[in-house]
Amino acid sequence: MPWPGVVRAFFDRLPIENDRNVVTLLEGNTPLVETPAVAARVGTGVRVFCKLEGLNPTGSFKDRGMTAAVSAAKEEGSTAVICASTGNTSASAAAYAAKAGMRCYVLIPDGKIALGKLSQAMMHGATVLQVEGNFDDALRLVVDISGTHPVTLVNSVNPNRIQGQKTAAFEVCEDLGRAPDYHFLPVGNAGNITAYWLGYTEWREEGRIQNAPRMMGFQAAGAAPIVRGYPVENPETIATAIRIGCPASWKSAEAARDESGGTIGMVSDDELVEAYRYLAAKEGIFCEPASAAGVAGLFKTAPSLDWKEGDTVVCTLTGHGLKDPDRAIAVSPQPAKVSAEMSAVLAAMGFAS
Ligand code: F0G
């Protein structure tokens, strides 16, 4: 049977009543790729897999939650959705709203979102408002607006988003035939770590897996409120997707960390860029900068973890590298300019006689 998208694949576990209301772009079922060059930096006998969420229809994991949230909105008779976003949520909301024939309003931080994401929201016909403030300011506004106006909020404070996103944990367990021992991922608004933990605990309670992984979440050092223990007023990081100072799912992220015996740590922008480039150069995987936070966190904490032979690690790579080509170009050696002559090209290739 062809893949039906996450709501239909896990219909009995998601809050959609009627199949007729499902709004899907056939998201989910993303590859879990073994990454030996990452494992080589971790330790012998440890296997590392990356879940390529950038291969969802709009290029990020947000599509899992968005199919659930927009389907539920349709079921409720809603005709418009709204979100605040660092980019990916707005791209996904705009696409699913377009598919559903709904209006979409997105509030994004002025000037601080990757161009690929902005182009998506614009192309899908959303009303895009650039707020003179950061994500946290935009989220406060959309929560208020959705409370007083006929628009459905599709940020992850909408529980249907978390429900949809938990399906990634189910897929990981199905692919591995068990749960991993550790799960590394970036943390921004903290919805995704909450959702994975929900998925793992649901399946453990049903006896489908025996153990749940330690949840290892990583924030950018300039936007690490959970690590620091207080909201960050002016979050800063090159990983604009996770440039968030006061995550909505703060408490549930801490619960995921504590119940799983995991960690929420932070990585510097330099560590994040190093992992971003390493994945591209050594594994052939181009993710967006924020996505590399989990892998950077793995590299950082690996020496202090108590590894056992056969330990399995999953890292979620949350978004596609093409979302933010400006950053990729900024951190890479620039192409050499050569004249259109054989000798010049060969010399530049190192084949000079
Ligand atoms: N990675 C990427 C690529 C993201 O876009 C986000 C969040 C995260 C990680 C963090 O996930 O918020 O569930 O902890 N992006 C949101 C957005 C905030 O508006 O697109 P989280």
Side-chain angles (χ1 to χ4, degrees):
M1 199 179 91
W3 178 254
V6 302
V7 173
R8 290 194 172 111
F10 301 102
F11 197 75
D12 53 344
R13 298 163 182 284
L14 293 176
I16 317 300
E17 302 278 312
N18 196 324
D19 184 83
R20 181 165 20 98
N21 296 320
V22 174
V23 180
T24 181
L25 293 165
L26 305 187
E27 61 296 308
N29 196 25
T30 53
L32 187 68
V33 177
E34 185 154 17
T35 49
V38 174
R41 285 178 56 175
V42 174
T44 45
V46 176
R47 296 181 75 184
V48 181
F49 298 82
C50 286
K51 179 100 172 125
L52 304 194
E53 289 290 275
L55 296 188
N56 276 299
T58 76
S60 85
F61 73 99
K62 305 287 182 182
D63 294 343
R64 292 179 185 278
M66 207 53 75
T67 181
V70 173
S71 300
K74 184 175 171 189
E75 201 151 73
E76 288 160 13
S78 175
T79 57
V81 296
I82 190 168
C83 65
S85 183
T86 57
N88 281 322
T89 299
S90 62
S92 187
Y96 283 81
K99 179 85 181 181
M102 293 182 189
R103 283 191 312 278
C104 179
Y105 303 94
V106 306
L107 272 66
I108 55 174
D110 191 16
K112 294 282 185 175
I113 92 163
L115 279 187
K117 305 174 188 181
L118 179 60
S119 72
Q120 289 176 288
M122 292 165 68
M123 279 298 285
H124 293 305
T127 301
V128 180
L129 303 174
Q130 296 195 288
V131 174
E132 292 171 356
N134 58 32
F135 171 84
D136 305 291
D137 299 316
L139 185 60
R140 272 191 292 275
L141 287 162
V142 298
V143 167
D144 279 359
I145 293 166
S146 64
T148 50
H149 292 78
V151 287
T152 302
L153 183 62
V154 293
N155 280 105
S156 57
V157 290
N158 176 336
N160 298 320
R161 279 277 313 278
I162 304 290
Q163 289 293 324
Q165 282 173 214
K166 75 183 177 185
T167 61
F170 299 159
E171 291 178 15
V172 166
C173 295
E174 281 182 346
D175 284 0
L176 294 176
R178 63 191 277 264
D181 299 290
Y182 294 88
H183 193 128
F184 286 77
L185 77 173
V187 172
N189 209 26
N192 211 26
I193 190 170
T194 302
Y196 270 100
W197 185 237
L198 178 64
Y200 285 126
T201 51
E202 265 187 36
W203 271 26
R204 187 180 56 184
E205 276 158 27
E206 290 175 26
R208 299 180 69 129
I209 51 173
Q210 303 315 309
N211 300 308
R214 291 168 191 262
M215 298 303 301
M216 311 291 284
F218 284 84
Q219 305 193 291
I226 300 177
V227 180
R228 298 186 192 281
Y230 52 83
V232 174
E233 196 133 333
N234 295 306
E236 273 313 334
T237 168
I238 58 122
T240 52
I242 53 172
R243 184 174 166 271
I244 294 174
C246 190
S249 298
W250 188 324
K251 286 281 163 283
S252 51
E254 288 183 333
R257 174 195 66 193
D258 298 342
E259 290 168 19
S260 72
T263 299
I264 295 179
M266 59 185 180
V267 288
S268 68
D269 279 4
D270 285 350
E271 289 167 327
L272 207 144
V273 167
E274 197 272 329
Y276 168 60
R277 297 186 65 193
Y278 188 85
L279 282 163
K282 304 292 186 197
E283 296 286 4
I285 298 173
F286 187 23
C287 65
E288 65 170 284
S291 297
V295 174
L298 172 62
F299 290 158
K300 188 170 186 165
T301 52
S304 62
L305 293 172
D306 179 23
W307 298 106
K308 296 187 186 54
E309 183 71 26
D311 270 349
T312 300
V313 175
V314 168
C315 300
T316 300
L317 300 181
T318 46
H320 201 286
L322 291 173
K323 292 271 189 176
D324 194 358
D326 295 332
R327 182 57 56 187
I329 289 168
V331 303
S332 300
Q334 302 305 296
K337 268 207 167 57
V338 291
S339 61
E341 281 165 32
M342 190 61 77
S343 59
V345 172
L346 285 174
M349 291 169 70
F351 285 131
S353 56

